[in-house]
Amino acid sequence: MPYSDYIGRLTQLLRQAYIHRPRPDVLDLIVRRFSSRLLAVTTVDQAVDLYRDAEFLPGSSTSSCWVELHSLRLNGPFAEQLPQCILTALDSDGNPAIVKLLAVSSHDPMTGAPASQLSEAFVCRELRLRDANNAGVPVVRGEVLELQLPFASARTTKHGPGVYPALVMPRYSCVVSDLPLIPEHAIARGAARLMQAIDFMHERGYVHMDIKATNVFVDTAGNWYLGDFGSTVRVNDPIHSYTRWFFPNNMAQQAAQFKHDWYLLAVMLAVELHKEDWKEQLFEHERVSTRKLRIAASAAQLESLKEVLALVMGRGEVTVDEGGALG
């Protein structure tokens, strides 16, 4: 099958994620730099991840602009299982950092995105992550910086003229998904921190919608911090992005509710309890089943973790109907 057919399949999948007019330069970059991933794309999630990775990947000239404007030297990806827009970096004082290159704007009419879809940069600014972290809220200690490319500079980069935001935060040790099987007391401690972070977001009217182990960062002391706000929406706004197999039913365009974050936290904690065989423990028809979620959560032995799971599942309204759907 020629590459044009694979690009055609990719663009069809992107339309389902409201990317109706993918940029030609990004599609060309996919063919040149991500050809093996292009051949393997079969789902909407894979298509969006591939497009975003190619869209955000900085060229050498763009990297030079980051050094010039913000004294940030970009390096390779932070972790293999994370999107390639999450990079390691070094600041002017030689301190390790993480830089997540963000979408220019989720309101860009060229993408066809719904008006309710917020850009991650907007959400991060609204949450004031650095101030929140300094106040003891366990969210990543991030700050949004901008790279402004005038027309003259843009001619020498793969990005056009415009303002390109990035979330800059300290270099964390890893994400929770990198860790081996975690002791129950550490899961309970981490869960308590995530509950605090979720409450912080909900008090401000936001639903995270993508709480999972790859979005929870870990420092050298083992403390957990909630990150990655790319799926965040205001409560009652339509859901535009979520990890599909974590929900037993289709959530696209449904109204985001606070209970969805608590449900996702329950799934994450059950995954950590059964890290070595979590799919077997939780999946039914290639999705998490609420029936199996309850059974998996009941395996907790530590009393404090049992209490946390009961509270989280109660807030998530984890009930089971005959079809095993989320109540």
Side-chain angles (χ1 to χ4, degrees):
M1 189 162 67
Y3 275 112
S4 59
D5 291 344
Y6 288 107
I7 287 293
R9 180 177 66 184
L10 175 68
T11 55
Q12 288 179 358
L13 292 169
L14 291 174
R15 289 191 192 101
Q16 297 180 45
Y18 302 101
I19 304 175
H20 294 295
R21 298 179 184 178
R23 289 165 44 193
D25 60 319
V26 175
L27 296 179
D28 179 64
L29 182 64
I30 288 172
V31 172
R32 290 187 289 107
R33 297 280 300 273
F34 299 91
S35 57
S36 60
R37 288 178 61 185
L38 173 63
L39 301 182
V41 166
T42 57
T43 69
V44 173
D45 285 339
Q46 291 172 346
V48 172
D49 286 345
L50 174 57
Y51 184 78
R52 294 307 184 201
D53 280 353
E55 183 182 32
F56 299 146
L57 189 68
S60 57
S61 297
T62 305
S63 297
S64 297
C65 293
W66 278 104
V67 174
E68 180 181 345
L69 294 177
H70 295 295
S71 300
L72 278 171
R73 297 184 180 276
L74 304 184
N75 201 357
F78 171 62
E80 184 177 343
Q81 77 275 24
L82 297 180
Q84 293 189 12
C85 62
I86 303 178
L87 307 172
T88 58
L90 206 65
D91 67 16
S92 58
D93 295 323
N95 297 315
I98 296 173
V99 175
K100 181 180 182 183
L101 306 175
L102 305 178
V104 176
S105 173
S106 291
H107 300 290
D108 186 345
M110 294 296 289
T111 68
S116 59
Q117 185 172 332
L118 305 174
S119 73
E120 187 170 1
F122 175 86
V123 172
C124 292
R125 290 190 185 98
E126 286 288 293
L127 293 176
R128 301 179 65 179
L129 296 175
R130 181 181 291 271
D131 291 344
N133 180 280
N134 288 340
V137 179
V139 291
V140 292
R141 189 172 181 269
E143 180 181 12
V144 177
L145 300 180
E146 292 180 342
L147 175 66
Q148 187 163 0
L149 291 179
F151 180 77
S153 297
R155 286 183 300 177
T156 62
T157 70
K158 83 178 186 69
H159 298 289
V163 178
Y164 294 87
L167 180 66
V168 181
M169 52 189 174
R171 173 71 181 268
Y172 291 96
S173 297
C174 61
V175 289
V176 169
S177 59
D178 289 332
L179 300 174
L181 186 64
I182 305 171
E184 288 195 10
H185 68 85
I187 296 176
R189 184 183 67 170
R193 290 177 61 85
L194 293 183
M195 292 174 70
Q196 184 183 354
I198 292 169
D199 280 336
F200 166 78
M201 292 191 65
H202 291 181
E203 287 167 3
R204 286 151 182 79
Y206 290 103
V207 185
H208 188 283
M209 280 310 305
D210 202 21
I211 294 168
K212 57 186 179 184
T214 53
N215 291 340
V216 177
F217 292 80
V218 185
D219 67 14
T220 55
N223 297 313
W224 293 7
Y225 299 87
L226 183 61
D228 195 332
F229 303 93
S231 297
T232 299
V233 292
R234 293 188 181 94
V235 65
N236 295 321
D237 277 356
I239 296 168
H240 66 83
S241 173
Y242 66 101
T243 302
R244 287 166 172 78
W245 52 83
F246 282 173
F247 286 92
N249 43 306
N250 182 20
M251 304 298 292
Q253 297 304 300
Q254 293 194 31
Q257 302 295 318
F258 294 142
K259 69 177 182 181
H260 295 144
D261 280 348
W262 297 113
Y263 165 81
L264 286 168
L265 179 57
V267 172
M268 176 185 165
L269 298 179
V271 168
E272 295 311 311
L273 269 173
H274 301 275
K275 197 148 195 172
E276 296 173 348
D277 62 345
W278 67 271
K279 288 186 178 180
E280 290 80 0
Q281 295 293 333
L282 293 173
F283 272 26
E284 202 166 78
H285 307 299
E286 299 184 349
R287 289 175 178 262
V288 170
S289 155
T290 49
R291 178 183 65 82
K292 297 188 76 170
L293 173 57
R294 282 184 171 275
I295 295 171
S298 69
Q301 300 296 311
L302 189 68
E303 197 60 37
S304 61
L305 182 56
K306 289 181 181 179
E307 293 174 359
V308 166
L309 282 164
L311 180 59
V312 168
M313 294 179 74
R315 292 184 180 182
E317 300 180 18
V318 181
T319 59
V320 180
D321 61 17
E322 292 183 359
L326 179 64

